[in-house]
Amino acid sequence: MRRPPGVHVGTKVALAVAAAALAVASVVGVLVHRLTAADQLATARKELDRQLMSAAYDYAAARKSPARIDPPDLPAPVAKAVRDGVRVTYLRDGTRPVLWAATRVSDSEVLTLSRSYVPEARSLATLDRTLAAVGSAATVLVSLAGLFLGVRMGRRATAAARTAERIANGDLDARVRPDGRDEIARLSAAVDTMADALGARLEAERRVTADIAHELRTPVAGMATAVGLLPPGPATDLIGRSVKNLRGLVEDVLEVARMDAQVAVLETEQRQVSAMARRAVAGLAEVEVRVVRDTVVTTDPRRVERVLANLASNALRHGAPPVEVEVDGPVVRIRDHGPGFPPDLFAVLHTSGPQRFRTTAPGTGTGLGLTIAVGQARLLGAGLAFRNHPEGGAEAVFTLPDRT
């Protein structure tokens, strides 16, 4: 589910900067081209018009001049404008452009001058090539700078995102430690502040939970002793079961508090997986243990048995018997024959994990059993996955580290 945001952010920033640089270079190039072309044409027209006026004076004085009278190649637009009494300059485009100037010197004669416009066209083409080269170089340089900036921003954003993921996964000591004063630094500082506040809040809740559980142990133990002094009967049995359930709940809360405080210590030894499975479900009715393949692993047997007992008890409580416990090497599968996990609970189990005391409907939910199982599996370095079996029922797959 993780994505490398640094790469995406860096690429997007670099592309945005490159597009902006290319757009600016293109606009500047077009403007320079048009301004230069207009200035060149205006200068050339002004000069040719001046030469035309000088030639007209020479013609009037019967002096020799480079001007021509009624040339056959005179462009039609020029001839039409001159017949209307306008002195004109006209650029005829093409592969070899020619600039014309013409004026009427009598009712029937048109005096013209023309010259090649190729030098100006070549000069403009050279300018265009220079602008393209400079614009390309500037675009590349700015793009590289944008890529560097984008990658740097992306890495910082990635660091903040990964730290937030670590915090979400329970590593409350993770910190970004921002450097700088920009928006990403502010975001990183906010993540650190959130982690500090979350850690303080969870620590306070952990202490309150542990203190309450410790305080409850003494009166619960007294209640258990008092139940033993009551005369036998249905009322005594009911009270005894309630006290037993309360005692188990208090022990579960203490177990969760110890796991949250990360003070639990593993006591490892070599044990057969099948032996731990049978011991875990020994007191549970309608639970069948089937061994496909057995193996010996080095683990904490008390915690393994607690995980298997919680999973089997949860299957009996929220599923339907019989509950099958299948041992296949280091993998233990616990399956019931009920309706399976509800869709909303199944989605929670695959995203944030079991939620304490979460219930969905009467007779369903996770309580603390799955929370403790997931926490113990994490301590053991084991895998714990949940799914709905294709043939019906819910199934938990507990995979022990294969260390002998």
Side-chain angles (χ1 to χ4, degrees), residues 130-349:
T130 302
L131 289 173
V134 172
S136 300
T139 300
V140 171
L141 291 176
V142 173
S143 299
L144 291 176
L147 180 61
F148 172 78
L149 177 62
V151 169
R152 185 170 180 271
M153 292 173 59
R155 286 177 178 173
R156 294 170 64 197
T158 300
R162 288 178 177 171
T163 301
E165 290 176 356
R166 290 172 57 191
I167 294 171
N169 291 330
D171 185 5
L172 298 181
D173 295 327
R175 295 294 184 274
V176 183
R177 295 180 179 84
D179 180 20
R181 296 183 179 180
D182 55 10
E183 287 76 7
I184 295 181
R186 291 176 60 189
L187 172 64
S188 301
V191 171
D192 287 352
T193 303
M194 176 196 68
D196 292 336
L198 181 61
R201 180 176 178 179
L202 291 179
E203 180 61 26
E205 291 180 356
R206 187 182 302 127
R207 289 179 180 177
V208 171
T209 303
D211 291 344
I212 292 174
H214 278 293
E215 293 296 328
L216 285 175
R217 294 183 81 179
T218 300
V220 169
M223 292 171 63
T225 302
V227 169
L229 300 177
L230 295 175
T236 300
D237 293 340
L238 177 61
I239 296 174
R241 287 194 299 270
S242 299
V243 171
K244 182 180 178 181
N245 292 336
L246 180 58
R247 192 169 192 172
L249 178 60
V250 170
E251 293 300 325
D252 285 347
V253 172
L254 281 173
E255 187 71 30
V256 171
R258 283 191 289 267
M259 289 189 298
D260 286 346
Q262 299 181 353
V263 296
V265 179
L266 294 179
E267 298 177 1
T268 60
E269 57 183 271
Q270 288 189 339
R271 286 289 183 89
Q272 279 188 324
V273 178
S274 62
M276 291 187 288
R278 289 192 174 96
R279 184 181 176 88
V281 301
L284 300 176
E286 297 184 283
V287 178
E288 305 170 359
V289 178
R290 185 167 65 94
V291 180
V292 176
R293 178 173 61 91
D294 204 359
T295 188
V296 175
V297 296
T298 300
T299 187
D300 187 331
R302 183 186 71 83
R303 298 186 185 280
V304 171
E305 292 170 11
R306 183 68 184 277
V307 172
L308 297 178
N310 281 5
L311 293 175
S313 299
N314 194 77
L316 281 174
R317 186 178 304 113
H318 306 295
V323 172
E324 300 175 354
V325 179
E326 180 185 272
V327 178
D328 187 2
V331 179
V332 183
R333 299 179 179 87
I334 298 92
R335 176 197 170 195
D336 63 51
H337 287 75
F341 293 112
D344 57 340
L345 177 60
F346 190 70
V348 169
L349 291 175

Side-chain angles (χ1 to χ4, degrees), residues 3 5-20 146-147 149-151 154:
R3 296 187 306 171
V7 175
H8 292 297
V9 171
T11 302
K12 289 179 179 178
V13 171
L15 289 176
V17 171
L147 180 61
L149 177 62
V151 169

